[in-house]
Amino acid sequence: MKPLYLKAHESGLLQKKVEKARTIVQDCTLCPRKCKVNRLEDEKGFCNTGRLSLVASFNLHFGEEDPLVGRGGSGTVFFAHCNLGCIFCQNYDISNNQSLHHEVSPDQLAGIFVELQSAGAENINLVTPSHVVFQILESLSIAADRGLNVPLVFNTSSYDELETLGILEGVVDIYLADSKFFGSKEAEKYAHAPDYPEKARMAILEMHRQVGSLVTDERGAAKKGLMIRHLVMPGGLAGSDDWLDFFAANLPGDTYINIMDQYRPAGDASRYPELRANVPGSLIIDLKKKAGSLGLTRLDERSSGVFRLLF
Ligand code: SF4
């Protein structure tokens, strides 16, 4: 299956998308923050990223979901900063440690993509990419000329604008979408983004409209489609039950869902007593049981092992 961005590159559509994104970042409304700064002049908004993208690290990652890891590993590119900024960010060290960031040119970012592919990556996994869509598109065009041909993964918090996702249609092969807070109150308190729930719900539906349910090859490696992540938080702060109800009501039963049990109090979480609590294993089991009863049958296998044993 030829990656979508390659088809777009060959037809000339990718270059048109680069130009559309360039126009948007001149008065930046790329994401729901709508900072209206001129990123081309290196002005910075909430995401603290100007003209060039900032890369914190890149490597072959074997800890992602099995369809992304395959045999060769997922070629992860961790972008610094974020347009959402959860105070308990599970990647806080990567996203906030200034000393680890490197500003990269479009040519250098393209080089990273190609280098990861040469090292055996099954895909290029763009981690926290929502604020650097323009830079990614620019680099993709260069990388396609240099032979990049593995699927592109947009690994997002889902705090995305529909207009930006429209630019990514026909470019992104796999959306790996977080579903963080279902409630506006929690989104305001922990990410200063009361509109996150509404934006994320619309974004996830749009992603599914674009790429459908996950498609894998004969080896089980992901080629196209939507994968959803849901990090269960202590005290029900993420609205896990509501998310499952939403998925069941709006997406097919074969939607790939990873109910994640690895919450830990990172970042500034220690300032909030409710974020210092643990997530009991029994809650994860109950949520997986509920997902099954709602007809959501394609749960991430690594974390559903206990569920399969017990039920
Ligand atoms: S991408 Fe950054 S500058 Fe643009 S609207 Fe979002 S947070 Fe603001």
Side-chain angles (χ1 to χ4, degrees):
M1 188 183 285
K2 186 183 270 193
L4 295 174
Y5 63 84
L6 265 189
K7 292 183 193 169
H9 182 60
E10 288 164 8
S11 70
L13 186 59
L14 184 57
Q15 197 51 42
K16 289 185 183 143
K17 289 175 179 286
V18 173
E19 295 314 318
K20 189 162 184 198
R22 187 194 307 276
T23 303
I24 290 176
V25 298
Q26 279 180 307
D27 188 32
C28 195
T29 55
L30 204 56
C31 86
R33 298 283 183 194
K34 296 190 187 305
C35 301
K36 292 191 165 281
V37 292
N38 187 345
R39 307 266 305 272
L40 296 187
E41 295 292 330
D42 214 30
E43 290 175 10
K44 291 165 185 158
F46 182 92
C47 63
N48 205 19
T49 303
R51 173 62 183 86
L52 299 177
S53 60
L54 296 159
V55 171
S57 68
F58 62 94
N59 49 47
L60 291 178
H61 195 348
F62 291 85
E64 301 285 68
E65 288 81 353
D66 288 346
L68 295 176
V69 171
R71 286 193 198 121
S74 185
T76 46
V77 182
F78 287 88
F79 291 102
H81 302 308
C82 176
N83 69 323
L84 184 57
C86 299
I87 59 164
F88 56 88
C89 179
Q90 304 292 284
N91 284 332
Y92 195 83
D93 295 345
I94 292 171
S95 62
N96 282 279
N97 189 337
Q98 300 286 341
S99 65
L100 291 175
H101 302 165
H102 295 285
E103 214 171 50
V104 295
S105 68
D107 193 69
Q108 288 171 318
L109 187 55
I112 289 172
F113 296 164
V114 174
E115 189 178 326
L116 285 168
Q117 176 176 285
S118 300
E122 299 276 355
N123 45 64
I124 300 301
N125 184 346
L126 307 165
V127 186
T128 323
S130 301
H131 58 302
V132 285
V133 163
F134 165 57
Q135 293 86 345
I136 288 166
L137 290 170
E138 271 186 313
S139 302
L140 264 184
S141 186
I142 301 167
D145 278 334
R146 293 190 197 159
L148 188 72
N149 63 8
V150 291
L152 190 71
V153 183
F154 195 75
N155 184 343
T156 173
S157 70
S158 302
Y159 196 39
D160 293 302
E161 269 302 320
L162 290 183
E163 185 184 12
T164 304
L165 291 176
I167 297 174
L168 294 172
E169 182 169 11
V171 173
V172 167
D173 300 288
I174 298 160
Y175 284 106
L176 181 57
D178 282 345
S179 48
K180 290 180 178 290
F181 319 99
F182 199 86
S184 182
K185 192 161 57 82
E186 291 79 11
E188 162 78 65
K189 185 172 183 184
Y190 304 122
H192 309 294
D195 60 345
Y196 173 84
E198 184 194 351
K199 294 289 182 183
R201 288 194 285 268
M202 287 194 298
I204 288 170
L205 297 186
E206 169 61 12
M207 293 175 206
H208 185 269
R209 186 197 66 75
Q210 289 185 16
V211 295
S213 296
L214 182 68
V215 175
T216 58
D217 66 10
E218 65 289 346
R219 299 176 300 122
K223 292 294 162 188
K224 188 182 177 195
L226 171 66
M227 302 172 75
I228 294 174
R229 283 177 170 173
H230 176 70
L231 179 68
V232 181
M233 290 181 64
L237 293 172
S240 304
D241 283 292
D242 290 330
W243 274 116
L244 291 179
D245 289 336
F246 174 78
F247 298 147
N250 294 282
L251 294 169
D254 69 347
T255 302
Y256 193 105
I257 300 173
N258 185 0
I259 298 174
M260 302 170 77
D261 60 1
Q262 55 260 64
Y263 173 83
R264 62 189 172 89
D268 288 333
S270 58
R271 293 197 286 118
Y272 298 78
E274 70 274 23
L275 293 181
R276 293 202 293 262
N278 290 322
V279 174
S282 58
L283 174 59
I284 304 291
I285 291 170
D286 285 347
L287 287 169
K288 289 176 177 171
K289 191 174 179 184
K290 170 170 177 158
S293 71
L294 289 172
L296 298 167
T297 56
R298 201 173 181 186
L299 301 186
D300 181 77
E301 288 189 8
R302 294 167 311 161
S303 51
S304 60
V306 175
F307 173 67
R308 286 203 312 275
L309 280 175
L310 293 178
F311 302 100

